[in-house]
Amino acid sequence: MKKLFIYYSYTGRGDIVAQKMQEKGYDIRKVETVKSLPKSFFWGMMVGGFQAGAKKKAALKEFDQDISNYEEIVIGSPIWNGAFTPAINSVLSLLDLSNKKLSFVFYSGSGEGKKAVKRINKEYPNTPYIFLKDPKKYPEELNKLD
Ligand SMILES: Cc1cc2nc3c(=O)[nH]c(=O)nc-3n(C[C@H](O)[C@H](O)[C@H](O)COP(=O)(O)O)c2cc1C
């Protein structure tokens, strides 16, 4: 069964997760946005937090939407303001995941993401998900993926 990990990462934690997924036999597709957040930490949090909270989408750089060869898709996203990131909102709107074995991996500073959980329960019921608390600082969090 072919499996694919599609993910976004703004500050690199997601790349650590992707490495682990690759070791587990997943093909990897990293999503990148055309625009980045404002450089200042404060404005970055404000803008990113607002966009995520409002379920905004982000324009993506070249993104291969052909997932026909894969039976299993895992989506990886940081948590921004408790929610999915705009990049992943775009991915979810572009792909037809209805016939796939789907699951989510989130990485966040707190290891939580309340809006993301609410959304999964509503829009992706019975879809497994997992939260990793800062896998850069706590590499043992990656064991949750085993
Ligand atoms: C705009 C923004 C908003 C964030 N909001 C949250 C949050 O609500 N809760 C949380 O636990 N972490 C939050 N974080 C921290 C990230 O979720 C965490 O650092 C994550 O591991 C980053 O993944 P990345 O390095 O792959 O981008 C936020 C980070 C940014 C940049």
Side-chain angles (χ1 to χ4, degrees):
M1 189 167 98
K2 282 203 82 183
K3 34 194 202 172
L4 176 66
F5 181 58
I6 302 174
Y7 79 105
Y8 173 69
S9 178
Y10 190 62
T11 60
R13 270 76 171 172
D15 298 321
I16 300 171
V17 177
Q19 213 173 340
K20 171 86 180 183
M21 295 301 277
Q22 195 166 32
E23 285 163 20
K24 287 172 60 68
Y26 286 78
D27 288 345
I28 306 295
R29 254 177 230 175
K30 183 174 183 176
V31 174
E32 291 183 277
T33 56
V34 173
K35 285 190 189 166
S36 39
L37 294 179
K39 289 259 179 300
S40 103
F41 177 77
F42 175 78
W43 286 110
M45 292 301 274
M46 290 294 282
V47 172
F50 165 76
Q51 289 178 349
K55 279 205 202 173
K56 298 274 185 208
K57 294 176 195 128
L60 302 180
K61 289 187 187 168
E62 227 177 297
F63 170 56
D64 181 0
Q65 294 181 40
D66 183 4
I67 53 171
S68 54
N69 285 334
Y70 296 95
E71 279 109 43
E72 182 187 343
I73 308 283
V74 179
I75 304 274
S77 179
I79 291 292
W80 286 2
N81 186 13
F84 295 43
T85 42
I88 292 303
N89 290 336
S90 299
V91 167
L92 292 170
S93 75
L94 289 167
L95 300 181
D96 178 7
L97 297 161
S98 51
N99 292 318
K100 306 291 181 188
K101 180 175 181 231
L102 177 67
S103 58
F104 291 94
V105 177
F106 298 104
Y107 17 101
S108 68
S110 63
E112 290 184 9
K114 294 214 167 75
K115 291 174 194 145
V117 171
K118 261 195 179 164
R119 181 164 171 200
I120 288 173
N121 289 334
K122 200 167 153 197
E123 294 179 33
Y124 303 92
N126 307 315
T127 305
Y129 61 87
I130 198 168
F131 279 90
L132 307 179
K133 178 173 171 160
D134 194 344
K136 190 174 182 192
K137 196 168 169 191
Y138 309 107
E140 66 274 15
E141 284 285 293
L142 295 171
N143 297 339
K144 289 184 182 170
L145 297 168
D146 287 335

